Amino acid sequence: MVIKMKEIKINEIKNFNIGNAQDFDGATGCTVILCEKGATAGVDVRGGGPATRETDLLRPENMVQKIHAVVLGGGSAFGLEASSGVMEFLKEKGVGFRLKDITVPIVCQACLFDLGVGNPNAYPGKELGRIACINSEFNIVEHGNVGAGTGASVGKGLGNEFAMKSGLGTYALQCKDVQVGAIVAVNACGDVYEPNSKIHVSGLYDREKKEYLDSEQLLMEAAEAKPHENTTIACIITNADLDKAQMNKVAAMAQDALARTIRPVHTSSDGDTVFAMACGKAQATTDLVGIMTVKALEQAIVVGCKEAEEAYGLKSYRAVQKEGKK
């Protein structure tokens, strides 16, 4: 018997709510993934320049077993302030880790570098974090220039003149009763391709010649081309019943999706980080969830580029398709 997966909407996965908030003028924003019941979680950081919060507590040997939110944000390390707004929102609802009479929401975060696209002094703070939480109650699926994807871009080896606009993407799959979804803000130095192919989706682009360039080749040949202003950040959600060690393995497997779609990836100045959250009773092996995760995140990365709109002087996939490319 052939077991098949089907595409579903990411908001069909119960116990999770996703919300976005953005500052379009500043070209930055944040995306929150809330699980008020508490989610077993893991994380995998592959980039050499991460901006993260509360990742050590996700190690299997550490005390806290469940988290209540993951925040994906712009603003580089400044954007970590958005988590404070998320913590206040959850505390007011009585959500968090209880210790005697104290409730402490457990909020993890990763930020990408978007300071070179819009206002270099703009970043998501407490207010945007709270707004994203309020918006999460509607749990609407949004893509492109929203949330953490507002100021995201790709193909930055030669600066913004050759870069393209990317954004936020989601994709979700179901196999029997197991559901897995991926949400990602694509902000890579490198180029984005269809999974396991040489088909460009977005990246280093020569506007005069209307053709894509090869970021990997450029980085090998040109001394002036340097990885900078990067980081792709993502969160996996599932209704599977897995423990912390298993979710850390799922997060590690998820990084294969970045390697299959982004070239180069995990460079010294990237902060590529993937969180994974589980809240549910569906019985599944780590490997099944991991396989579904890779497939979902591959497609979410592509969606994040294809759904982005031209903005901040950057061409988008849609704009390039309209004008024709070589």
Side-chain angles (χ1 to χ4, degrees):
M1 181 177 65
V2 178
I3 304 297
K4 294 184 178 181
M5 288 184 286
K6 66 177 182 179
E7 180 184 354
I8 60 173
K9 296 291 186 182
I10 196 167
N11 57 5
E12 292 180 42
I13 303 175
K14 294 181 179 179
N15 300 317
F16 296 96
N17 286 70
I18 300 170
N20 296 298
Q22 48 279 323
D23 170 5
F24 289 121
D25 291 334
T28 194
C30 62
T31 298
V32 299
I33 303 95
L34 302 185
C35 183
E36 294 185 9
K37 291 181 62 176
T40 305
V43 67
D44 190 90
V45 182
R46 297 285 175 94
T52 55
R53 166 193 169 119
E54 297 281 44
T55 53
D56 280 349
L57 64 78
L58 298 181
R59 294 171 59 176
E61 68 271 22
N62 288 340
M63 178 181 66
V64 174
Q65 293 300 307
K66 293 182 182 295
I67 70 172
H68 305 97
V70 164
V71 183
L72 307 178
S76 190
F78 295 107
L80 293 172
E81 184 182 318
S83 286
S84 297
V86 178
M87 286 192 71
E88 289 181 356
F89 177 86
L90 292 174
K91 182 182 178 182
E92 290 169 6
K93 298 186 71 173
V95 174
F97 177 76
R98 298 186 184 279
L99 184 62
K100 294 185 178 180
D101 296 328
I102 302 172
T103 299
V104 181
I106 306 300
V107 180
C108 301
Q109 183 173 0
C111 286
L112 54 80
F113 192 102
D114 56 9
L115 302 178
V117 174
N119 182 348
N121 297 313
Y123 57 87
K126 292 173 64 175
E127 182 179 359
L128 277 188
R130 173 178 285 273
I131 292 172
C133 290
I134 294 171
N135 290 338
S136 76
E137 296 181 345
F138 299 99
N139 205 24
I140 299 171
V141 179
E142 296 181 287
H143 295 144
N145 303 22
V146 295
T150 302
S153 56
V154 294
K156 291 174 280 191
L158 289 176
N160 286 351
E161 295 82 3
F162 291 83
M164 288 180 64
K165 186 71 184 74
S166 52
L168 191 76
T170 75
Y171 198 86
L173 293 165
Q174 180 166 338
C175 180
K176 293 186 176 180
D177 62 341
V178 179
Q179 298 173 320
V180 175
I183 184 165
V184 60
V186 187
N187 189 64
C189 166
D191 307 318
V192 176
Y193 295 80
E194 294 283 357
N196 292 318
S197 78
K198 295 182 179 180
I199 302 172
H200 264 104
V201 174
S202 197
L204 197 64
Y205 184 70
D206 189 322
R207 301 181 189 184
E208 292 186 2
K209 297 181 179 179
K210 296 184 179 180
E211 65 180 9
Y212 286 118
L213 306 178
D214 187 324
S215 288
E216 285 189 322
Q217 190 65 32
L218 183 75
L219 287 167
M220 289 188 289
E221 294 177 353
E224 70 271 17
K226 298 178 181 179
H228 66 294
E229 303 176 2
N230 314 315
T231 296
T232 294
I233 50 179
C235 183
I236 306 303
I237 61 174
T238 180
N239 68 342
D241 183 13
L242 299 178
D243 62 27
K244 282 179 73 175
Q246 290 171 313
M247 291 309 292
N248 274 281
K249 181 59 178 176
V250 168
M253 292 177 72
Q255 293 279 6
D256 289 350
L258 275 67
R260 293 179 184 180
T261 56
I262 301 171
R263 303 169 202 159
V265 72
H266 305 146
T267 69
S268 58
S269 59
D270 278 318
D272 299 321
T273 300
V274 181
F275 293 99
M277 305 171 73
C279 183
K281 297 182 179 180
Q283 297 301 303
T285 64
T286 307
D287 290 337
L288 172 61
V289 175
I291 291 168
M292 294 175 68
T293 289
V294 174
K295 292 183 179 296
L297 185 50
E298 286 175 347
Q299 295 304 318
I301 290 169
V302 172
V303 169
C305 291
K306 289 187 174 182
E307 294 295 313
E309 298 287 350
E310 188 172 3
Y312 312 116
L314 301 175
K315 292 284 188 181
S316 66
Y317 169 85
R318 290 179 172 180
V320 169
Q321 292 298 113
K322 288 180 180 178
E323 71 181 13
K325 64 173 181 60
K326 296 181 181 179

